[in-house]
Each structure stands twice: as C-alpha cells, then as structure tokens.
Amino acid sequence: MIVKARAVRLSILISTIIIGLIIVIQAFWLGKVYQYEEKEFDRKVIGAIKGLYDDIKLVEDPSKYLNEIVTKPEPHIYLAAVERWEPVDTISYYIHHELEDLGIFTDCRLTLYDDHRGVFFAKDIYSAASNNSSLKALPEKALKISYDSIILYFPHRERYILSNMIFWIVTSLILLAVLVWLGLSLFYLNRQKSMNELQRDFVNNFSHEFKTPLSVISLAAESLKKNSTVEKKDKILQYADMVGNQSQYLQGQIDRLLRYSFSEKTELQLIRENVNMHGLVQEAANNLQPLIEQKKAEIKFELIAENPVISGDKNYLLIVLINLIENALKFSKEPKVTISTSNKNHYLEINVKDNGVGIEKKYIRDIFKKFFRVPKGDIHSSKGFGIGLSFVKKIIDSHHGTIAVESVPGIGSNFIITLNPSQS
C-alpha cells in the first residue's frame, strides 16, 4: 500500500501534538507529585513537633492549639511556640527522636529563641551526611519572632523532596527520551519517504526522457532493414541523421548523468585557467546551432563587458552556458534569446534572457534544487531530469559566484550569473 506524503505529514503533525500533550501532562503530573511531597513533609514535621509536645510539656494544650502554635514563615523554617522551657538537652533529644521516627532524614538546624532576652541560643545540628560543615546558617535577621519558640530549619528541604521523587523523575525522563526518540524517528521516516518519492520521480523522468529517442532509433533501424528504403539514398541519409542525432542526444544525457553523479560524491575539481567568457558564449551557441536552426531561434549577443576574463574551469563554465541557452530555446515557442555581459561593482555579470513560458514566483526558490522540475500538470511535460540547474548552481558556487533568476510567467526569464573577474 502506498501512503501519500500528505497523509504521512498529517500523521507526523498529529503524533507531534500528542507527544507535546503527553510531555505537558507529564510535567503537570510531576508538579502535582512535588506539591504532594511538600505537604507530606509539612505533615511529618508538624507531627514531629506534636510528638515533642506529647513527650515534654512545653505548652498547656498542644492538641487544641497546634495550628496556632506551629507556624511556617518560610518554606524551610518551622516555628513552635514555647510556654514553659525544659532543659535544652531534653528538647534536642526528643525532637531528634521524633524526626527519625517519622522518617525525616535530611539536614536540620535546631535553634531556641528567648523572646524575653531577644536572643537565639542552644543551636544544634541534625545532619543526614557525615560532613555538616556545608549546612546553611539560619537566616536569623530575616525572622520576626515575638514569642519564645523552637525553630526547625531545613536548608535542603527541596533537595530532600526531590530525592523522594527520584523514581518518578527517572521514569519521566525515560518516557521523555522515548518520546523524543519517537519524534526523531518520525522525522527521519518522513525524510526517507520524501527521498524515496524524489528518487521514484527521478526514475520516472529518466525512463520518459530516454523512451522517445530510443523509439526513434528503433523505428529508423526497422525502416533501414526494408528493401524499399535501401533503394532510396535520400531516405537512408534521413534515417541515418535521425539515428545520429538521437544517439548524440542520448550520449549527452548520459554524460550529464555520469558527471552529476560523480560530482555528488566528490567536490568539483576545477582546472583553473584564464577564460574569456565572450569566446565561451560564442562556443556554447555554436554547440547548440542544430537546435537553434530547428527552433528557428533568434540569438542576440550584447557582449559589452570591458573585462570578460575570469579565472575558472572552462569545461564546467561551458556546461553552465549550454544549459542556460538550451533551456531558453526549449521553453520558448518562438525563441528570442539575448545573451549579455557587463562589469558591475568589479564583477562580471552574464545575463541569459528569453521570451519563454516563464516561472511562477512560488517555484523560483526551488528551481536550483536537485530533481526539481516546474510542474506543468503532467509529470512528464517538462523535459530533462531536473538536475541541470542544480548542477549549474554547483558549478557557479565552486567558482565563488552567484546565480539568480528573474521571471514573469508568459513573458520570459532572465538568468543572472555573477563571477569574479581575473586580476591578471
């Protein structure tokens, strides 16, 4: 079953949205788990303080006023009111015991505050680690206390809560990694799908481009075998010309394919020399003379550049000119092609302008891509493999030049090449 590219893209879009929603839900769920762990931590600390009040009588009625006598000025600080002091060692022993009973194994600073004297005293540390020198000091100046109180300070409260969530965090990260991998896989599959379609179109174009000349050669060969044809010298010459022309056409297309295939695997190896582009323009036009005569084309030269010499590879630059002039001839009913040169801003500019069918604006940006051919309804209505202009651009890029196109549908196109002239 062949899956259309639009269906694949739609599936990827829907999958991406679903993956995004899963990630958002996962993040929201982790936030809720963190809030739950915060409340659970608060519940345990308050439970430890209540246990302390049950162990030693620091207030008259701790159960009745527990919510009032235990306050939380900051997320990591708990204040427990004291109405009657007990020995410091007793308070320290019982609070440590209650914290351990409730499973709170994180660093804690115990500080007592005497409101009558306005001082903090009897500081103690309960550390979950062997080295407690890194514990943060109690922010005493930031606290506003107006009564005797026990202060429990948990400097690593957030870290402790996150450590209790380690299972959920790890599983969430694994899920996230799986979703990212799935997303990348979908992207890769879509890219492969596009490449497969591109290759399929290329094979279709390849088959179509070779079918016509092979049919002509086959018909000419069959005709030459007939006795009636052998007796007519003019017919033999006509069929021989047909075979020769079509063979040259096929050889040219094969050469282009092989050259392009080679250039895809390796960088272009330029054999640089001083090239007079005016002479090269004339040479390209001479090579296309049979097509110019066949199309009854009008070729106009406006070669006015004062410095037409550049340092480049003559053979590759000839391919560029032949390709552009050939396209100008092929895509015009009554071709009128103007080839001009000029020097602008110390650069050599070459224009190949035609009166052909033109190119719609939405396709301008794609015409230099591999295998791209401007759609004309029927997939095979445009001749060629869609590799000519991409190869042209590669040659120009190798010469550190630029190529651009200006086109109006129904009016024609103008290909503009800019090259750096030779300084010699």
Side-chain angles (χ1 to χ4, degrees), residues 244-299:
N245 291 336
Q246 296 301 326
S247 297
Q248 289 179 2
Y249 173 80
L250 283 174
Q251 185 62 48
Q253 295 292 62
I254 292 171
D255 288 344
R256 287 172 62 193
L257 270 174
L258 293 176
R259 187 187 295 270
Y260 190 79
S261 175
F262 176 76
S263 67
E264 284 296 289
K265 297 179 181 179
T266 61
E267 292 296 324
L268 291 180
Q269 301 297 319
L270 302 182
I271 302 175
R272 289 186 178 273
E273 58 181 305
N274 286 337
V275 181
N276 188 318
M277 294 304 294
H278 287 176
L280 206 62
V281 167
Q282 295 288 353
E283 184 177 344
N286 290 337
N287 288 345
L288 293 170
Q289 194 60 36
L291 181 60
I292 293 173
E293 294 176 358
Q294 178 186 347
K295 299 282 289 187
K296 298 180 180 179
E298 178 182 332
I299 306 294

Side-chain angles (χ1 to χ4, degrees), residues 89-191:
D89 290 342
T90 302
I91 295 174
S92 178
Y93 170 79
Y94 279 108
I95 192 64
H96 193 189
H97 175 73
E98 292 295 337
L99 290 174
E100 286 187 345
D101 279 354
L102 289 170
I104 301 177
F105 300 103
T106 184
D107 303 328
C108 175
R109 279 184 179 272
L110 169 67
T111 305
L112 305 182
Y113 176 73
D114 189 333
D115 184 58
H116 179 70
R117 292 183 297 164
V119 296
F120 295 89
F121 68 102
K123 300 176 183 178
D124 199 359
I125 295 175
Y126 310 125
S127 177
S130 58
N131 182 12
N132 56 30
S133 60
S134 62
L135 283 180
K136 298 178 181 178
L138 176 69
E140 299 172 355
K141 295 181 179 179
L143 296 176
K144 296 180 180 179
I145 309 174
S146 58
Y147 51 88
D148 293 344
S149 55
I150 298 172
I151 305 170
L152 295 178
Y153 174 46
F154 298 92
H156 302 141
R157 173 177 175 271
E158 291 83 2
R159 186 189 305 172
Y160 176 74
I161 292 174
L162 289 174
S163 68
N164 288 336
M165 295 172 57
I166 190 66
F167 172 78
W168 310 111
I169 293 174
V170 169
T171 54
S172 297
L173 289 175
I174 292 174
L175 176 60
L176 178 61
V178 170
L179 292 176
V180 170
W181 176 82
L182 178 61
L184 292 175
S185 299
L186 290 173
F187 174 78
Y188 176 77
L189 289 173
N190 180 57
R191 187 175 179 182

Side-chain angles (χ1 to χ4, degrees), residues 322-381:
I322 289 177
N323 194 290
L324 294 181
I325 298 172
E326 184 181 12
N327 285 346
L329 295 170
K330 287 196 304 182
F331 297 109
S332 303
K333 291 183 178 179
E334 297 178 359
K336 293 182 180 180
V337 182
T338 301
I339 307 170
S340 61
T341 64
S342 61
N343 291 118
K344 293 184 179 179
N345 299 324
H346 307 293
Y347 288 91
L348 174 65
E349 184 176 288
I350 304 172
N351 289 261
V352 179
K353 186 176 182 180
D354 63 55
N355 63 334
V357 294
I359 305 168
E360 293 185 43
K361 185 177 181 180
K362 62 182 178 180
Y363 299 125
I364 292 291
R365 59 187 294 180
D366 296 321
I367 61 172
F368 295 110
K369 293 181 179 179
K370 289 188 301 182
F371 311 134
F372 179 81
R373 298 191 306 169
V374 178
K376 298 291 182 182
D378 179 6
I379 190 172
H380 299 308
S381 62

